[in-house]
Amino acid sequence: MIVQPAPKRDILARRDAIVAGLRELLPQSGVIAEPLRMKPYETDGLPAYRQMPLVVVLPETTEQVAAVMRFCHREGVRVIPRGAGTSLSGGALPMEDAVVMGMMRMNAILDIDYADRCAVVQAGVTNIGITNAVAAQGFFYAPDPSSQLACMIGGNVGMNSGGAHCLRYGVTANNLLGLRVVTVEGEIIDIGGAHLDAAGYDWLGLLTGSEGQLAVVTEVTVRILRGPEGARAMLAAFRANEVAGACVDSIISSGIIPVALEFMDRPAIHACEDFAHAGYPLDAEALLIIEVEGSVAEQDALLERIREICLRHDPISLKVSQSAEESAAIWKGRKGAFGAVGRISPDYLCMDGTIPTSRLPEVLRRIGEMSTAYGLGVANIFHAGDGNLHPLIMFDANDPASLRKAENFGADILRLCVEVGGCLTGEHGVGVEKRDLMGVQFTETELNQQRRIKSAFDPGWLLNPSKVLPLLPEAA
Amino acid sequence: MTVLAPADEAGILAAIAAANEAGEPLRIAGRDSKAGLLRPVQAARMLSAAGLDGITLYSPNELILSAQAGTQVAALVAETAAKGQHIIAEPPDFSALFGVETAPSIGGVVAANLSGPRRVAWGAMRDHVMGVRAVNGAGEVIRSGGRVLKNVTGLDLCKLLAGSHGTLAVLTEVTLKVLPAPERRATLALPGLDPAQAVAALSAALGSPYGVSAAAHLPAPMAARVPALAWMNRAVTLARIEDFAASVAYRSEKLRGELAHVAMAELLDDGASQSVWAAVRDALPIAPEPGAVWRVSVRPSCGPGVAAALEAAFGAAWFMDWGGGLVWIAGPATEAAHHAVAEAARAAGGTWMLLRAPEPLRASVAVIPPEPASLARIRARVKAAFDPRGILNPGRMYAGS
């Protein structure tokens, strides 16, 4: 289990005064101090970790965020920014002596500019909410994490969220133009704007994916893109993981970059098919979902080229979607994969390493060996084009030994990802979950460099501390 | 000036460690093709990465390319082209603009985050930096990112170092995402539009479902300097489509039809497209202008207003890339002209850079916009977090730091 630093006793002792101070800064309903009402904030998308916070605040404006930050800075109170609480790495896990700052009330879309292809939204707008707001004009916001119905853009910025279409459209960092942030001292700063590539240091790039370590994001200027004329998916089923991996290589080397290229192994295929009835072939060891975009004629041409490539790899079956409904069913299975695994196992841990795509067969074989050794099932879902692997480790949280084994299994998978040239996390973030594995990927010199940058923004380490960077010995 | 040009990262490390020990500033360069950019650095010695030359990893099927920082961009372009791939952000070569013979290095274009026309649709140079190795001012090797396409492990120092102009650390190796090069290119060339009409047409093109990958507007005097456009003899508004040949044929005809009410576009073929966009990328139309050159980045619809204001202020020569969002400006190398550019950019809510000017002007004015005091304080602390004694390219971006 992850060790958290001891709470500051003086803060706990002053709780009533701190709550009263916050009440002076926010509307009546914006301060939640009753244990029963704080309960929903005690965990996030990594429910194995729980901690009641000191108090929860729900600001409605950037100015209120700034007022809370000035107050907390003066009082030496830690602050945990929180979007929708969908983090799979415990990025929003509270601390006993910390204020949780929930951004969900800042949910306004402030401006949409189709001519300049950008929109300004508050941090609490959901990911899908942006696309929904611009869809009537044929536009969309590209990053599409599986949690997109719930997760908020502020959290997406914090974690640099990805999705299934990153290979073509990039991750959050590649789709931002500007931020309004509040510093730990409570100063409001605008980074970037509606233009490209601000001069000076790339604060936009540094803040994106900084997991709430550096500043609180209150407004985001995103790029919105015109959608393609259409999109269509196909399924290709293979006899072995190696064969499917080789097929992915062949597709990329042919010069085709599908907008999505998803890989599922046998356990994932079965779980998703039981859940979504998408017509996935149950006799396959590996399944690819391949999506292309363009006019119908362009889709036909691309899918035919991909079909020919697949045929060279002795597929069990190939099925090209014939309609929008069939494509939707294919995606329903994939996007529902986490829920599907949840139906066959009481609990699961969703891992998130990235590997060089050429190492996929070897990595899946070794994960299979680990699964046998640990006695825990695993289903693998993989963004095959970009190497982002999501093993879902099945366990029973009611059994502490099972949870411990699952965590050790997960850590072994992530060590393997680094060993073969990859990384600990492709899109979920380090959070608290992978904090103590950072030394596997980085030297102590490199971690200290990151700590000094954190200190440059947050000298007192009040913003979301004890995440991302391993605790120094004195703190642990 | 003494030039230190070690052959490897260990040599870079030793040079920086010694400079740090002695507290002696170093001017940092890749191949030193952009010495004329930004503020002059006061240092007796230059540390060059030119000796760090060569591709260290190229895995086309994994879309990953690593090279030592001093490797010429042209070498990477050739190597990827041989495998049917390309460097996504089409980084520019400003040797004509700066009047030098030196070709840019990959470390230099990453350190300056310089991107070409494809930036408007496919992201900046920094968007495709997947990993870096660098030596900070304290003489420590630091890595960020890696050799995979998706990585959010720890703070993203790839992006922070891209665009930091060697003031935080010296890049020794960069790893880029690359993509298959398009099979075919075509460009719609709409003649005779005024700037506002041009940006409206480019917005329509970039807001179409046809995957426009570059969008520029050249007033008549600028178009006259591009051989493949000179025959049109008027202002030219350009939109590029790149893809498989059949898609290019289909999409360019569709877009041509949709823009027909604005102007009937000429269709430039693959060869003409390549030469036109290389000229736009390298700012060749504006390079022969005397005096100073600025880049202003604004929301695209503000581009024409910036150009008009500076035409009125000092008779600026200009052209627009990035759908109107990037305005290249040439004018007299005077403080008055410089302040007019900065004010026009500021009024449009954008950003600016003094790209080329005689050294006295670059030394006396802010070459990029000053930051608000709260951010400048953070910047000073971040600089110290990498370079505690301030030895790396002091004064390159901001006076006194």
Side-chain angles (χ1 to χ4, degrees):
Chain A
M1 289 295 281
I2 298 284
V3 175
Q4 288 290 75
K8 299 181 183 176
R9 291 186 185 285
D10 64 309
I11 299 293
L12 299 181
R14 285 190 289 128
R15 178 172 188 263
D16 289 351
I18 290 166
V19 170
L22 291 167
R23 286 198 193 284
E24 287 177 20
L25 306 174
L26 295 169
Q28 176 69 23
S29 65
V31 179
I32 299 174
E34 305 77 21
L36 198 61
R37 292 184 56 225
M38 291 202 299
K39 189 80 176 158
Y41 299 90
E42 72 170 354
T43 189
D44 57 12
L46 185 68
Y49 294 90
R50 289 169 192 276
Q51 172 62 54
M52 287 290 270
L54 189 72
V55 54
V56 176
V57 296
L58 305 175
E60 294 169 12
T61 65
T62 297
E63 288 69 28
Q64 288 176 7
V65 172
V68 169
M69 291 310 299
R70 279 194 297 274
F71 174 82
C72 290
H73 184 248
R74 194 174 65 229
E75 300 291 326
V77 181
R78 293 164 169 162
V79 178
I80 314 281
R82 178 185 173 103
T86 54
S87 171
L88 293 168
S89 59
L93 180 72
M95 298 170 78
E96 189 182 353
D97 59 355
V99 173
V100 164
M101 174 124 63
M103 301 303 290
M104 67 280 280
R105 288 189 177 174
M106 293 188 65
N107 61 358
I109 292 176
L110 302 174
D111 185 48
I112 298 172
D113 184 337
Y114 295 105
D116 289 333
R117 301 170 299 284
C118 62
V120 183
V121 304
Q122 290 183 318
V125 172
T126 60
N127 175 290
I128 196 76
I130 303 174
T131 289
N132 287 344
V134 300
Q137 301 290 322
F139 280 73
F140 70 112
Y141 172 65
D144 60 340
S146 293
S147 57
Q148 69 182 147
L149 296 178
C151 66
M152 294 171 182
I153 187 67
N156 288 181
V157 173
M159 296 315 225
N160 195 9
S161 307
H165 292 79
C166 304
L167 188 61
R168 167 64 183 84
Y169 292 109
V171 295
T172 302
N174 313 119
N175 287 278
L176 300 181
L177 292 171
L179 298 175
R180 176 164 289 179
V181 301
V182 177
T183 67
V184 74
E185 288 99 353
E187 293 177 302
I188 299 167
I189 299 179
D190 286 323
I191 306 289
H195 54 280
L196 297 170
D197 300 346
Y201 291 157
D202 187 0
W203 303 122
L204 183 62
L206 179 65
L207 286 162
T208 306
S210 65
E211 305 199 19
Q213 298 283 304
L214 306 183
V216 180
V217 175
T218 63
E219 285 180 21
V220 186
T221 304
V222 298
R223 285 165 67 96
I224 52 172
L225 305 177
R226 175 66 188 267
E229 287 189 83
R232 202 148 30 118
M234 67 175 283
L235 289 173
F238 298 93
R239 293 173 204 288
N241 291 330
E242 285 83 351
V243 181
C247 185
V248 169
D249 266 4
S250 298
I251 293 169
I252 302 256
S253 60
S254 79
I256 299 173
I257 297 293
V259 287
L261 187 48
E262 298 286 296
F263 182 117
M264 301 164 82
D265 72 357
R266 184 182 189 90
I269 297 166
H270 281 250
C272 293
E273 178 60 19
D274 288 351
F275 170 72
H277 308 294
Y280 293 173
L282 296 174
D283 52 347
E285 286 299 319
L287 180 67
L288 298 179
I289 301 173
I290 308 162
E291 188 173 67
V292 300
E293 288 180 348
S295 68
V296 171
E298 288 176 301
Q299 295 167 21
D300 284 342
L302 282 172
L303 289 171
E304 180 52 30
R305 289 174 72 152
I306 293 170
R307 210 179 67 84
E308 285 169 12
I309 293 167
C310 291
L311 283 172
R312 298 205 295 267
H313 295 274
D314 188 26
I316 293 174
S317 64
L318 294 176
K319 181 173 139 192
V320 174
S321 159
Q322 299 302 320
S323 66
E325 292 72 29
E326 276 188 41
S327 291
I330 286 172
W331 276 111
K332 185 183 173 209
R334 167 59 188 87
K335 291 210 168 185
F338 296 176
V341 170
R343 280 161 41 110
I344 58 173
S345 170
D347 300 281
Y348 64 88
L349 278 183
C350 176
M351 307 312 293
D352 172 47
T354 305
I355 58 171
T357 52
S358 62
R359 304 297 289 270
L360 178 68
E362 173 195 350
V363 168
L364 289 184
R365 179 177 53 73
R366 287 176 62 183
I367 289 175
E369 291 165 7
M370 291 177 198
S371 170
T372 307
Y374 278 103
L376 294 175
V378 62
N380 287 292
I381 293 160
F382 183 59
H383 302 302
D386 53 34
N388 190 195
L389 184 66
H390 292 310
L392 301 170
I393 300 171
M394 296 171 240
F395 72 103
D396 181 357
N398 290 323
D399 171 5
S402 175
L403 170 60
R404 209 159 41 244
K405 272 203 292 189
E407 288 187 329
N408 290 340
F409 184 3
D412 283 349
I413 291 174
L414 297 183
R415 285 190 192 94
L416 173 61
C417 290
V418 175
E419 179 197 317
V420 300
C423 66
L424 296 174
T425 173
E427 58 183 357
H428 294 172
V430 176
V432 72
E433 180 203 23
K434 294 178 274 285
R435 183 192 73 194
D436 291 350
L437 289 170
M438 287 288 274
V440 175
Q441 187 171 332
F442 294 107
T443 65
E444 197 57 27
T445 301
E446 289 161 347
L447 292 173
N448 282 332
Q449 179 68 75
Q450 297 189 38
R451 289 186 180 109
R452 290 197 300 272
I453 296 167
K454 159 80 171 159
S455 294
F457 281 81
D458 177 17
W461 284 59
L462 295 178
L463 269 171
N464 213 13
S466 82
K467 313 275 169 67
V468 185
L469 295 164
L471 303 183
L472 293 168
E474 62 271 20
Chain B
M1 175 176 293
T2 311
V3 177
L4 309 173
D8 55 20
E9 184 183 85
I12 297 278
L13 184 94
I16 292 176
N20 185 49
E21 182 78 16
E24 284 178 3
L26 292 171
R27 185 157 87 75
I28 307 302
R31 290 182 166 268
D32 207 27
S33 69
K34 290 180 279 292
L37 184 74
L38 299 178
R39 303 186 74 258
V41 173
Q42 302 300 323
R45 294 191 296 168
M46 179 175 98
L47 178 59
S48 161
L52 280 64
D53 190 8
I55 290 170
T56 46
L57 168 74
Y58 183 23
S59 179
N61 290 354
E62 295 177 312
L63 307 173
I64 278 290
L65 171 69
S66 301
Q68 296 199 76
T71 311
Q72 287 193 28
V73 172
L76 301 183
V77 168
E79 188 68 22
T80 51
K83 300 285 185 187
Q85 298 191 330
H86 68 182
I87 312 285
I88 304 165
E90 29 178 16
D93 178 345
F94 289 150
S95 48
L97 188 71
F98 287 118
V100 299
E101 300 286 312
T102 326
S105 68
I106 190 62
V109 297
V110 168
N113 186 27
L114 291 173
S115 315
R118 204 177 285 116
R119 195 283 170 250
V120 71
W122 286 85
M125 201 64 215
R126 62 81 128 156
D127 287 299
H128 310 116
V129 178
M130 297 293 116
V132 293
R133 285 182 71 97
V135 180
N136 68 16
E140 297 169 334
V141 174
I142 49 171
R143 300 164 307 151
S144 185
R147 49 89 80 218
V148 290
L149 299 180
K150 222 161 144 194
N151 186 346
V152 296
T153 319
L155 296 175
D156 189 348
L157 306 191
C158 298
K159 292 202 178 59
L160 180 60
L161 295 184
S164 69
H165 297 280
T167 62
L168 299 177
V170 177
L171 297 172
T172 57
E173 183 186 60
V174 298
T175 297
L176 303 177
K177 176 182 179 178
V178 295
L179 281 176
E183 182 179 66
R184 191 70 51 83
R185 302 147 198 84
T187 299
L188 273 61
L190 290 78
L193 304 186
D194 71 30
Q197 291 172 322
V199 169
L202 295 177
S203 285
L206 288 163
S208 79
Y210 308 123
V212 168
S213 76
H217 174 74
L218 277 58
M222 295 283 133
R225 289 180 178 150
V226 180
L229 300 176
W231 62 274
M232 293 179 76
N233 219 13
R234 39 215 302 215
V236 184
T237 304
L238 301 160
R240 178 178 65 186
I241 292 175
E242 311 172 288
D243 213 310
F244 291 109
S247 280
V248 170
Y250 162 75
R251 293 176 178 207
S252 49
E253 273 313 314
K254 288 283 279 192
L255 185 59
R256 192 161 179 258
E258 289 184 15
L259 295 175
H261 68 284
V262 184
M264 195 38 83
E266 302 287 344
L267 205 55
L268 307 183
D269 67 10
D270 191 274
S273 287
Q274 296 205 48
S275 69
V276 164
W277 289 106
V280 172
R281 178 193 71 198
D282 297 343
L284 296 184
I286 214 161
E289 293 289 324
V293 173
W294 295 265
R295 277 177 19 141
V296 169
S297 179
V298 290
R299 64 166 66 222
S301 56
C302 290
V306 168
L310 298 176
E311 259 182 12
F314 56 78
W318 58 271
F319 74 92
M320 294 186 285
D321 195 1
W322 299 355
L326 179 67
V327 191
W328 285 91
I329 296 148
T334 62
E335 293 205 11
H338 181 71
H339 291 137
V341 172
E343 176 52 27
R346 193 200 58 75
T351 186
W352 45 269
M353 175 186 283
L354 175 56
L355 200 85
R356 186 191 79 188
E359 196 164 311
L361 182 63
R362 291 190 286 125
S364 64
V365 299
V367 294
I368 57 176
E371 291 176 326
S374 49
L375 192 54
R377 278 197 303 277
I378 291 172
R379 166 167 50 80
R381 295 198 295 254
V382 168
K383 165 78 172 166
F386 281 88
D387 180 19
R389 300 193 68 180
I391 60 163
L392 300 180
N393 257 354
R396 175 84 166 156
M397 298 173 74
Y398 302 94
S401 66

